Amino acid sequence: MASKVHTARLRPARWELVRRAAVWEELERRDATSAVVPFSGQAGRGGRTDVIQLLRLEGEALVDVERWTGRDELCHALEAPVWDRFGTFNGHPRIHGEVMWTADDRQVVIVGRRGDRQFEETAG
């Protein structure tokens, strides 16, 4: 058991993108129209994210702009919906999916499988 009760932070760290609008602005700066963050997790094992893809729509096809696993400000912001939704995955069966950011409609959607069921949710 932890010696100190967890308390929510009242302010983001200085390296964090504060507003969701700042994430969209950073994607635009990097010439990306969408981002995909693969993730997986399970009770007792926690969660993890995989290589993040920034993509751009060219005609009818999505092409890579950038792929990375770095731990920069944008990476943390793009991963945030995973941790906001599933926390440490405590009490969850195996979950795997993707967080998809789409700039044209400014939506963030989480799709995947929770146990043996598929799901799709809009991230707050």
Side-chain angles (χ1 to χ4, degrees):
M1 190 159 187
S3 62
K4 202 173 190 183
V5 175
H6 172 75
T7 56
R9 293 182 297 145
L10 297 177
R11 297 181 192 161
R14 64 186 156 149
W15 64 85
E16 293 176 310
L17 292 170
V18 178
R19 305 173 330 323
R20 188 163 278 185
V23 176
W24 300 119
E25 291 165 7
E26 183 63 17
L27 289 174
E28 288 174 9
R29 190 185 73 69
R30 294 183 188 215
D31 199 27
T33 56
S34 62
V36 178
V37 183
F39 70 91
S40 61
Q42 179 175 346
R45 295 191 175 158
R48 65 179 291 259
T49 60
D50 207 345
V51 176
I52 295 173
Q53 290 178 275
L54 298 187
L55 304 162
R56 175 181 57 245
L57 190 60
E58 286 187 4
E60 302 265 331
L62 284 171
V63 297
D64 277 341
V65 172
E66 190 175 344
R67 288 178 180 242
W68 87 106
T69 56
R71 307 308 304 162
D72 66 1
E73 180 178 3
L74 182 58
C75 175
H76 291 294
L78 293 172
E79 291 177 340
V82 173
W83 314 123
D84 290 348
R85 173 61 180 89
F86 301 107
T88 61
F89 288 84
N90 192 24
H92 289 283
R94 177 161 165 64
I95 298 173
H96 60 92
E98 297 176 330
V99 176
M100 296 183 295
W101 295 72
T102 53
D104 61 338
D105 58 3
R106 298 226 168 177
Q107 287 229 334
V108 181
V109 177
I110 303 173
V111 298
R113 292 189 70 80
R114 184 177 190 271
D116 61 354
R117 294 192 173 167
Q118 290 186 311
F119 69 91
E120 180 173 323
E121 303 171 356
T122 301

